[in-house]
Amino acid sequence: MSTPFISVVDDDASVRAATENLLKSRGYDVQIFSSAEALLLSPQLAETSCVITDVQMSVMSGLDLLAEVRTRGYDAPFIFITAFPDERVRASAMDAGAMGFLAKPLGGKELLKCLDNALKAYGARGTI
């Protein structure tokens, strides 16, 4: 069994660092990206077991990232995080196939539970 590889996409450096530290402390392999475009250009896209992404980013939104990843044929689960929780956006994310929609500031336990559920639902198995 291999350790799940988690891609974290957020334009806020402090959120990226905190999320990376939390996930690495739980034994996940983690790569952080400052934009959706950076993930799309990365060779790690094909290795990703789950994407944790901000909804609102400057050039490409998290919802647009999900659509592009699906267009490219990848089916990794997505968990959205946002500082501006909005029921309409949450509904759009869930309708698009998101496994979670969490408000910032993130609770570590809440994020880890959501991640565990997403990985189980998609059949990703690891050492966690």
Side-chain angles (χ1 to χ4, degrees):
M1 289 198 281
S2 64
T3 302
F5 184 87
I6 312 303
S7 293
V8 176
V9 184
D10 200 302
D11 54 4
D12 183 324
S14 63
V15 172
R16 285 193 310 269
T19 306
E20 178 184 32
N21 289 338
L22 172 66
L23 298 177
K24 283 186 173 183
S25 76
R26 299 297 182 169
Y28 290 104
D29 287 334
V30 182
Q31 182 69 42
I32 58 173
F33 301 92
S34 61
S35 69
E37 299 82 10
L39 173 60
L40 292 171
L41 292 171
S42 168
Q44 281 85 16
L45 178 60
E47 301 171 26
T48 297
S49 302
C50 185
V51 176
I52 299 172
T53 184
D54 192 4
V55 173
Q56 296 178 335
M57 294 180 284
S58 60
V59 177
M60 178 182 273
S61 75
L63 291 171
D64 292 337
L65 174 61
L66 171 58
E68 180 60 27
V69 167
R70 294 295 183 260
T71 297
R72 293 181 183 199
Y74 299 109
D75 67 349
F78 269 66
I79 297 170
F80 288 97
I81 56 177
T82 184
F84 307 100
D86 174 272
E87 183 54 35
R88 183 181 50 79
V89 176
R90 187 197 71 75
S92 294
M94 300 309 278
D95 288 346
M99 293 298 297
F101 190 88
L102 306 173
K104 295 177 185 176
L106 293 174
K109 288 182 181 180
E110 182 181 21
L111 177 59
L112 291 170
K113 182 178 179 182
C114 190
L115 177 58
D116 185 50
N117 290 339
L119 292 172
K120 284 179 183 174
Y122 275 73
R125 300 197 194 324
T127 58
I128 309 309

